[in-house]
Amino acid sequence: MFTAPKLTAAEVAEKIGAQLEGDGSVVLDSVGDLEVATPNQLAVAGGEHYLKRVPQCHAGALIVPVGAPVPEPHPALLRAQDMESAFIDACALFAPPAPELAPGVHPTAVIGEGAELGEGVRIGAYAVVEAGAKVGAGTWLWPHSYVGYEATIGENCVLYPMASVRERCVVGNRVILHNGAVIGSDGFGYRVDRAGVRTKIPQTGIVELGDDVEIGANSTVDRARFGVTSIGKGCKIDNLVQIAHNCVLGDHTVLCAQVGLAGTTTLGSHVICAGQAGLAGHIKVGDWTVVGAQAGVTKDLPPAGMFLGSPAVPRMDFGRQMACINGIPKMRAALKEIAEKLQTMEAAANAFLAAQGEGDEAEK
Amino acid sequence: MFTAPKLTAAEVAEKIGAQLEGDGSVVLDSVGDLEVATPNQLAVAGGEHYLKRVPQCHAGALIVPVGAPVPEPHPALLRAQDMESAFIDACALFAPPAPELAPGVHPTAVIGEGAELGEGVRIGAYAVVEAGAKVGAGTWLWPHSYVGYEATIGENCVLYPMASVRERCVVGNRVILHNGAVIGSDGFGYRVDRAGVRTKIPQTGIVELGDDVEIGANSTVDRARFGVTSIGKGCKIDNLVQIAHNCVLGDHTVLCAQVGLAGTTTLGSHVICAGQAGLAGHIKVGDWTVVGAQAGVTKDLPPAGMFLGSPAVPRMDFGRQMACINGIPKMRAALKEIAEKLQTMEAAANAFLAAQGEGDEAEK
Amino acid sequence: MFTAPKLTAAEVAEKIGAQLEGDGSVVLDSVGDLEVATPNQLAVAGGEHYLKRVPQCHAGALIVPVGAPVPEPHPALLRAQDMESAFIDACALFAPPAPELAPGVHPTAVIGEGAELGEGVRIGAYAVVEAGAKVGAGTWLWPHSYVGYEATIGENCVLYPMASVRERCVVGNRVILHNGAVIGSDGFGYRVDRAGVRTKIPQTGIVELGDDVEIGANSTVDRARFGVTSIGKGCKIDNLVQIAHNCVLGDHTVLCAQVGLAGTTTLGSHVICAGQAGLAGHIKVGDWTVVGAQAGVTKDLPPAGMFLGSPAVPRMDFGRQMACINGIPKMRAALKEIAEKLQTMEAAANAFLAAQGEGDEAEK
């Protein structure tokens, strides 16, 4: 069982390239959140918001930015130029090593006829690699993963338990598929006749995942009706995401958890869709655009914009819509006041005219 | 590895029953989208929108409707009465054959005591069929699929890798379950005591899937609390859909990706729920009704309607709501203008009355 | 194959502790819904809404509350103090027994080096328990389940087919993981450089599930970036739910189907999130608060409240917003009427002033 190493603050500072300030002899064995960290833990205090809480914290040592004033009292400080890097490196110092799949091919793995396994491929218990498939050098297939007929998996990939890639799909290098991810399920395609009865349209295409793509647990990427459902290099797809047939994602695009793209929709590169957003089919989203959480995108979106709401509108407009809706009670009150004032003026005018009429009568 | 056949446009026309127009000798080996197709590819140009782009395309040949004028220049044309059929047939011509599961029962498949396998059943590596289950003739169980105790699977079904059917559930004929689909998980049912602590209510019912049902990747259909969670004939369920315990779906109903139905909700036949729609529990939706993407249905819906928004309202009302919200800034401006005009009129009236008063005084 | 027992209403009454009223000799073999139950079935009629429909029902016997007037005609009655208990017990009487996993460890199960299996553990075909893992007494691992390196599973747990727990995660006692549930997938964490290219941040933490937690089919709980993604005792998580890295759930909290929590969000105890709700990251929700279906929570929520909409607001405010939006057409009509009236008054005033002017002229 893993036991975390014990390192002094001074040792940690040296390993992560931070400048030690204060007593570096305190012994640390883990990382903790600033608010709850204990004296055996290293925490982080980056911005103003966190730095002002330092006097209340109990961490044994803190990673802080170079040059930032730190209120007393504070523990030993590890001053870092790049806070994010420093923290990542610190976590790694105390983290257990990632588990290793045993080298080689487990005796229970089923490798189909003509399947090619590259050098250093590791295959776990009960993994299945169908006939004609190719698995690139250095790739790890964890127990219960599945690689379909004539599918191609690149080098240094990881398929976690229950991840599956169906026939003829092409997976690039250094791709990670998490538990239960499905690559190449049939697209949702049917003919419908006049009686409303549906007949399945064969989905004859494939999925292609570019290098460095990561697909989260239980996410699903459907094969194309014809051609390719294509995910560009470096895309990061979170859990429980749906990517329908014939979608195309540019490089370095990010889909957060439970996002859904309908068929034949194209996202540019560096697009970000926040959690639970939904995009209609046959639309295009420009590069660098951000789609907000739970947004519902029904039309093409230009590049470098931010869109919220359902139906999705530019962020400024969404803000105005919200302000408008929130301002309706005031408008209703103003309307009521105006109606009453109008009534008063009408009555006064009528009274005046009536008096005028009597006056005229009197004068006659 | 599959190599697509090379066919001339003339050969393709003959095979798909289309009328050739122009030089049928061009060699084709795949299907492509009109906008990006290359001279070795066959594309489709159906409506006006697409036909006008024909002069810019580079496809080797085009499927077009009988009688439609096609602007020059254009490649060889394959005139089709039924465009959809023609395209499906063309895709099939160039598609690789679907992968075959090896006939018979893989030596690693575990078949429980008293399980019955019909004629021509094919079972892949590591599939598990529990005791007392029945698998109908011609059904294919792909590697890593699971059929639970005393479950019944009909004829000519397909269970893809990681698909699972739990105990006593009944699956009809020609049903397709995609990777990771779960049939028969427990419904979400608990008693809650005064302290807010929940105790599980046994979910003693089953799921029944009618003939020709298709369930997408990682979708989940819960067994009933008692009785049956029932999916009618020909229903098509996309990926990552949730169907809760005791739901009933009529025939030929369609649930798009990431739709969620809460418990004991009944959909009629030919209902369509678009992506990410959510339906509350214990409600009824009439036949032929369409529920829009991301809609939130909280009440019974009549048949043959279309409902959008959350809470869902008839489409016309949703349009009005949107128009209203978008029209609020104008209303606010109009209100401001009225308030100002009223103020002006009030001031004028007061000035007039004051002048009148002085006049009267003067006259006295 | 299971055959339901045949019991008389009198026998059922005795077994479930209900008071028989009427002819207890009718033979029952199942439970049915009041509206569709047949004479061989037992149904339930609790509140007023159901009791008034009794004369139209065809059930062989009914469970009704003690003291409630039941309209004639009605079948044999089983009067119960605790309706919910009575119904649960009745369902159980007629339900088939839950399937048993064969005792012991299936010969095909792969048990890693140093893995510890407690007394009475049952492990099904093709289940995998990695080296150093611990499985507590009485736990059942169904076929195709997976327990990762050095993971700890408590006593009397159930892992259904395709459920997986990754390395070093800690699962408490009496935890149930449904088909395809994933515990310990990597959190969604990346550094992003100036060119918009993302690099994976190692997710070195774990997941901890408290005693009596139940996780639905295909739900995903990500391991922490560092530290623990923590689910408190008695939490009930439905299907297709996403819980991101470093989330913390208090005891007895409930997440309905397709809910999504973004990273480092903390829910108190006894919180309920209804279906498809989404919660942003780094927020806190107080104890006993209810988040409505499809709500979008973007800020901290206080305890014991109810919040609806996206962005989520207190229920009263959501009601007002809806009323406001629905009231806009009336406001628009009122505004139009006021504008017209104002115009009329303006015209009348001008006419009056003009007449006055002429009169004055005349008088001079």
Side-chain angles (χ1 to χ4, degrees):
Chain A
M1 205 81 185
F2 170 73
T3 317
K6 291 191 198 306
L7 301 167
T8 63
E11 288 172 314
V12 174
E14 196 204 333
K15 287 172 186 291
I16 71 175
Q19 190 72 28
L20 177 70
E21 214 176 276
D23 180 359
S25 65
V26 58
V27 176
L28 308 165
D29 65 15
S30 53
V31 169
D33 270 312
L34 181 70
E35 291 181 25
V36 296
T38 46
N40 58 309
Q41 293 190 312
L42 174 65
V44 146
E48 185 58 52
H49 175 76
Y50 292 100
L51 284 167
K52 67 184 183 191
R53 294 182 184 180
V54 165
Q56 286 83 45
C57 87
H58 302 285
L62 292 176
I63 296 174
V64 295
V66 165
V70 183
E72 301 270 357
H74 60 70
L77 303 178
L78 280 64
R79 294 213 177 256
Q81 288 284 7
D82 181 339
M83 291 288 291
E84 205 178 6
S85 267
F87 188 57
I88 291 171
D89 294 343
C91 285
L93 278 181
F94 295 112
E100 289 268 320
L101 195 45
V105 178
H106 197 273
T108 62
V110 167
I111 312 296
E113 186 182 326
E116 295 175 23
L117 307 180
E119 189 173 320
V121 161
R122 302 187 187 191
I123 302 186
Y126 301 128
V128 171
V129 178
E130 302 273 26
K134 293 182 184 167
V135 181
T139 282
W140 291 11
L141 304 183
W142 282 84
H144 289 302
S145 53
Y146 175 88
V147 178
Y149 285 94
E150 299 183 349
T152 304
I153 312 291
E155 301 187 351
N156 298 309
C157 294
V158 180
L159 269 63
Y160 280 103
M162 265 57 86
S164 57
V165 177
R166 267 187 52 190
E167 68 276 10
R168 295 184 293 106
C169 291
V170 176
V171 172
N173 302 312
R174 298 175 302 280
V175 168
I176 303 173
L177 304 182
H178 286 282
N179 299 42
V182 178
I183 306 300
S185 33
D186 284 352
F188 195 59
Y190 303 93
R191 300 204 62 179
V192 53
D193 68 16
R194 286 185 196 189
V197 176
R198 283 175 177 71
T199 314
K200 189 173 169 67
I201 296 175
Q203 305 292 301
T204 62
I206 64 169
V207 174
E208 273 187 29
L209 305 183
D211 294 343
D212 300 298
V213 163
E214 186 161 5
I215 308 275
N218 286 339
S219 284
T220 56
V221 184
D222 286 346
R223 69 200 307 115
R225 173 180 173 174
F226 65 91
V228 183
T229 301
S230 169
I231 312 289
K233 295 182 188 184
C235 284
K236 309 299 178 188
I237 313 297
D238 201 346
N239 302 345
L240 293 168
V241 168
Q242 155 70 358
I243 297 174
H245 55 181
N246 289 85
C247 281
V248 174
L249 271 60
D251 297 344
H252 304 300
T253 273
V254 172
L255 303 185
C256 296
Q258 296 172 324
V259 160
L261 309 193
T264 317
T265 272
T266 299
L267 304 193
S269 57
H270 299 285
V271 170
I272 297 177
C273 293
Q276 295 184 348
L279 281 69
H282 295 272
I283 60 176
K284 287 178 168 29
V285 175
D287 299 346
W288 293 100
T289 275
V290 174
V291 174
Q294 294 188 337
V297 183
T298 55
K299 306 178 182 184
D300 289 358
L301 299 182
M306 180 162 183
F307 299 85
L308 309 177
S310 184
V313 295
R315 178 175 57 140
M316 300 290 276
D317 294 354
F318 183 77
R320 266 184 229 122
Q321 270 182 10
M322 282 292 122
C324 282
I325 293 173
N326 290 336
I328 292 176
K330 263 195 180 176
M331 278 176 65
R332 218 163 38 182
L335 206 62
K336 188 172 176 219
E337 195 181 316
I338 284 173
E340 287 168 358
K341 193 171 273 191
L342 216 59
Q343 219 172 2
T344 307
M345 288 174 65
E346 250 186 332
N350 289 338
F352 180 82
L353 290 170
Q356 279 276 316
E358 289 165 23
D360 286 342
E361 286 297 312
E363 280 180 20
K364 287 184 185 159
Chain B
M1 204 85 187
F2 171 73
T3 317
K6 291 190 197 307
L7 301 167
T8 62
E11 288 172 316
V12 174
E14 196 202 334
K15 286 173 186 293
I16 71 175
Q19 190 71 28
L20 177 70
E21 212 176 278
D23 180 359
S25 66
V26 59
V27 175
L28 307 166
D29 64 16
S30 53
V31 168
D33 270 311
L34 181 70
E35 289 181 28
V36 296
T38 46
N40 58 309
Q41 293 189 311
L42 173 65
V44 146
E48 185 58 53
H49 175 76
Y50 292 100
L51 285 167
K52 69 184 182 189
R53 293 181 185 181
V54 165
Q56 286 82 48
C57 86
H58 302 285
L62 291 176
I63 296 174
V64 294
V66 165
V70 183
E72 301 270 357
H74 61 70
L77 302 178
L78 281 62
R79 293 212 177 257
Q81 288 286 4
D82 181 340
M83 291 287 291
E84 204 177 7
S85 267
F87 187 57
I88 289 171
D89 294 343
C91 285
L93 279 181
F94 296 112
E100 288 268 321
L101 196 44
V105 178
H106 196 274
T108 61
V110 166
I111 312 297
E113 185 181 328
E116 296 174 21
L117 308 180
E119 189 174 320
V121 161
R122 302 188 186 190
I123 303 187
Y126 302 126
V128 170
V129 178
E130 301 275 24
K134 294 182 184 167
V135 181
T139 283
W140 290 12
L141 304 184
W142 282 84
H144 289 303
S145 52
Y146 174 89
V147 178
Y149 286 94
E150 299 182 347
T152 305
I153 312 290
E155 302 187 350
N156 299 309
C157 294
V158 181
L159 268 63
Y160 280 103
M162 265 55 87
S164 57
V165 177
R166 268 186 52 189
E167 67 276 10
R168 295 183 293 106
C169 291
V170 176
V171 172
N173 302 310
R174 300 175 302 280
V175 168
I176 303 174
L177 304 182
H178 286 282
N179 300 41
V182 178
I183 306 301
S185 33
D186 285 352
F188 196 58
Y190 303 92
R191 302 203 61 178
V192 55
D193 68 17
R194 286 185 195 189
V197 175
R198 283 174 178 71
T199 314
K200 188 171 169 68
I201 295 175
Q203 304 292 302
T204 62
I206 64 168
V207 175
E208 273 187 27
L209 305 183
D211 294 343
D212 302 298
V213 164
E214 185 161 7
I215 307 275
N218 286 339
S219 284
T220 55
V221 184
D222 285 344
R223 67 200 309 114
R225 173 181 173 171
F226 66 92
V228 183
T229 301
S230 169
I231 313 288
K233 296 182 189 183
C235 283
K236 309 298 179 189
I237 313 297
D238 202 347
N239 302 344
L240 292 168
V241 168
Q242 154 71 356
I243 298 174
H245 56 181
N246 288 85
C247 282
V248 174
L249 271 60
D251 297 345
H252 305 301
T253 274
V254 173
L255 303 185
C256 296
Q258 296 172 325
V259 159
L261 309 192
T264 317
T265 272
T266 299
L267 304 194
S269 56
H270 300 285
V271 170
I272 298 177
C273 293
Q276 294 184 349
L279 281 68
H282 295 271
I283 61 176
K284 289 178 167 28
V285 175
D287 299 346
W288 294 99
T289 275
V290 175
V291 174
Q294 293 188 339
V297 183
T298 54
K299 306 178 183 184
D300 289 359
L301 299 182
M306 180 162 184
F307 299 85
L308 309 177
S310 183
V313 295
R315 177 174 56 140
M316 300 290 277
D317 294 354
F318 184 77
R320 268 184 228 121
Q321 270 183 10
M322 283 293 121
C324 281
I325 293 174
N326 290 337
I328 291 177
K330 262 195 182 177
M331 279 176 63
R332 219 161 40 180
L335 206 62
K336 188 172 175 218
E337 195 182 316
I338 285 173
E340 287 168 359
K341 193 173 272 193
L342 216 58
Q343 220 173 0
T344 305
M345 288 176 64
E346 251 186 333
N350 289 337
F352 181 81
L353 290 170
Q356 280 276 314
E358 288 165 23
D360 287 344
E361 284 299 312
E363 280 180 21
K364 284 179 185 165
Chain C
M1 205 82 184
F2 172 72
T3 317
K6 290 190 197 309
L7 301 167
T8 62
E11 288 172 316
V12 175
E14 196 204 332
K15 289 172 185 290
I16 70 174
Q19 190 72 27
L20 177 69
E21 213 176 279
D23 181 0
S25 66
V26 59
V27 176
L28 307 165
D29 65 14
S30 54
V31 169
D33 271 312
L34 181 69
E35 291 182 26
V36 296
T38 46
N40 58 309
Q41 293 190 312
L42 173 65
V44 146
E48 186 57 53
H49 176 75
Y50 292 100
L51 284 166
K52 69 185 183 192
R53 292 181 187 182
V54 165
Q56 287 83 46
C57 87
H58 302 284
L62 291 177
I63 295 174
V64 295
V66 164
V70 184
E72 300 271 357
H74 61 70
L77 303 178
L78 281 63
R79 292 210 178 259
Q81 287 284 6
D82 180 340
M83 292 288 290
E84 203 177 22
S85 268
F87 188 57
I88 290 172
D89 294 343
C91 285
L93 279 180
F94 295 112
E100 289 268 321
L101 195 45
V105 178
H106 196 274
T108 62
V110 166
I111 312 296
E113 186 181 325
E116 294 175 22
L117 308 180
E119 188 173 321
V121 160
R122 302 188 186 190
I123 303 188
Y126 301 127
V128 170
V129 178
E130 301 274 25
K134 293 181 185 168
V135 180
T139 282
W140 291 12
L141 304 184
W142 282 83
H144 290 302
S145 52
Y146 175 88
V147 178
Y149 286 94
E150 299 183 349
T152 306
I153 312 291
E155 302 187 351
N156 298 310
C157 294
V158 180
L159 268 63
Y160 280 104
M162 266 56 87
S164 58
V165 177
R166 268 186 54 188
E167 67 277 9
R168 295 183 293 107
C169 290
V170 176
V171 171
N173 302 312
R174 300 174 301 280
V175 168
I176 303 173
L177 304 182
H178 286 282
N179 299 43
V182 178
I183 306 301
S185 33
D186 285 353
F188 195 59
Y190 303 92
R191 301 203 62 179
V192 55
D193 68 18
R194 287 185 196 188
V197 176
R198 284 174 177 72
T199 314
K200 188 173 170 67
I201 295 175
Q203 304 292 301
T204 62
I206 63 168
V207 175
E208 273 186 28
L209 305 182
D211 295 341
D212 301 298
V213 164
E214 186 161 6
I215 308 274
N218 287 337
S219 284
T220 56
V221 184
D222 285 346
R223 69 199 309 113
R225 174 180 172 175
F226 66 91
V228 183
T229 301
S230 168
I231 313 290
K233 296 181 188 183
C235 284
K236 309 298 180 189
I237 314 297
D238 202 345
N239 302 344
L240 293 167
V241 168
Q242 154 71 357
I243 297 174
H245 56 182
N246 288 85
C247 281
V248 175
L249 271 60
D251 297 343
H252 306 299
T253 273
V254 173
L255 303 185
C256 297
Q258 297 172 324
V259 160
L261 309 192
T264 317
T265 272
T266 299
L267 304 193
S269 56
H270 300 284
V271 170
I272 298 177
C273 293
Q276 295 184 347
L279 281 68
H282 295 271
I283 60 176
K284 286 177 166 32
V285 175
D287 299 344
W288 295 99
T289 275
V290 174
V291 174
Q294 294 188 337
V297 183
T298 55
K299 307 178 182 185
D300 289 358
L301 299 182
M306 180 160 183
F307 299 85
L308 309 177
S310 183
V313 294
R315 177 175 55 143
M316 300 289 277
D317 293 356
F318 183 77
R320 267 184 229 121
Q321 271 183 9
M322 282 293 121
C324 282
I325 293 174
N326 291 336
I328 292 176
K330 263 196 181 176
M331 279 175 63
R332 218 160 42 179
L335 207 63
K336 188 172 175 220
E337 194 182 316
I338 284 174
E340 287 169 358
K341 194 173 273 193
L342 217 58
Q343 220 172 0
T344 306
M345 286 175 66
E346 251 186 331
N350 290 337
F352 181 81
L353 290 170
Q356 279 277 316
E358 287 167 23
D360 287 340
E361 286 296 315
E363 281 179 18
K364 287 180 186 162

